[in-house]
Amino acid sequence: AKETMITTTKNKDINIFGLNYIANLKHKAWPNYSVAEHLAWMVENLKDEDEHLLYYMDGILQAYINVFKVEVLMDGVKIEISGTGNLCSNSSNGYGFLLMKNTIKQGQWMGFCKEHLIEYYKYMGWLFPERNKLIMPNVDLENYRCMVYGFDFTILKYTGNKF
């Protein structure tokens, strides 16, 4: 039997070797960016309390996702939900899917994806609100779709950047 393990590490507790390991996996998923660019993005954009979730199969990193807290205004009420980004996997083996499904089991989540990934995320239960329900001045909603999981709303306002 194959041994699987999911680890969670706060960004402030991960060392450069761990980040490099993740950057190499991200480079496989997004080869247009070098390992160094992926590494630089993580160093510049992730906060201390953000978390790295890693899915291992027999000791080999198979999938990665990062999670963090996001403040939004949902129907005029300020709430904190979880954000998720950078889902990637070693191959089309379903490990990324398993990691995401395990991650979003509880709570309220928000993320962004490209148009061609909508069906993939819908299959997991993510909802894709109509643009007229979203106020997101710093997100390019022409090229990225907002997705939510675990909650519904009339108007969702988010003033941060796409993640």
Side-chain angles (χ1 to χ4, degrees):
K2 296 198 176 267
E3 184 183 332
T4 62
M5 179 176 68
I6 296 175
T7 64
T8 302
T9 307
K10 285 195 185 298
N11 191 52
K12 67 180 179 185
D13 298 327
I14 199 164
N15 62 30
I16 192 68
F17 300 107
L19 287 177
N20 193 53
Y21 200 41
I22 294 165
N24 275 284
L25 182 65
K26 288 178 66 176
H27 176 64
K28 282 184 185 175
W30 299 288
N32 294 350
Y33 301 97
S34 68
V35 171
E37 287 173 310
H38 284 294
L39 200 54
W41 185 92
M42 288 187 286
V43 168
E44 291 164 17
N45 291 284
L46 298 180
K47 298 176 183 73
D48 282 353
E49 296 302 311
D50 293 355
E51 294 179 331
H52 302 274
L53 278 68
L54 299 104
Y55 185 103
Y56 293 92
M57 174 70 70
D58 292 334
I60 297 168
L61 180 61
Q62 296 293 338
Y64 167 78
I65 194 170
N66 68 300
V67 300
F68 36 87
K69 295 296 178 198
V70 179
E71 203 170 83
V72 297
L73 271 178
M74 183 172 70
D75 299 328
V77 178
K78 186 185 287 189
I79 63 166
E80 191 175 75
I81 61 173
S82 298
T84 178
N86 296 296
L87 175 65
C88 57
S89 65
N90 214 355
S91 60
S92 306
N93 51 22
Y95 298 130
F97 182 89
L98 291 172
L99 179 58
M100 175 65 86
K101 282 296 282 181
N102 186 69
T103 301
I104 62 174
K105 280 190 301 203
Q106 299 172 30
Q108 299 171 312
W109 294 85
M110 182 172 90
F112 298 96
C113 78
K114 294 262 191 181
E115 198 77 27
H116 70 278
L117 292 171
I118 289 175
E119 291 308 312
Y120 174 78
Y121 286 107
K122 275 186 176 177
Y123 186 72
M124 281 186 237
W126 287 87
L127 302 175
F128 288 82
E130 295 299 318
R131 293 259 309 268
N132 63 3
K133 296 177 87 176
L134 304 171
I135 301 170
M136 300 183 170
N138 299 319
V139 177
D140 176 6
L141 293 174
E142 292 292 322
N143 291 304
Y144 293 93
R145 289 292 304 274
C146 175
M147 54 190 205
V148 298
Y149 188 95
F151 68 105
D152 196 14
F153 53 86
T154 304
I155 296 289
L156 185 69
K157 183 174 184 180
Y158 168 67
T159 56
N161 296 320
K162 181 190 76 63
F163 43 82

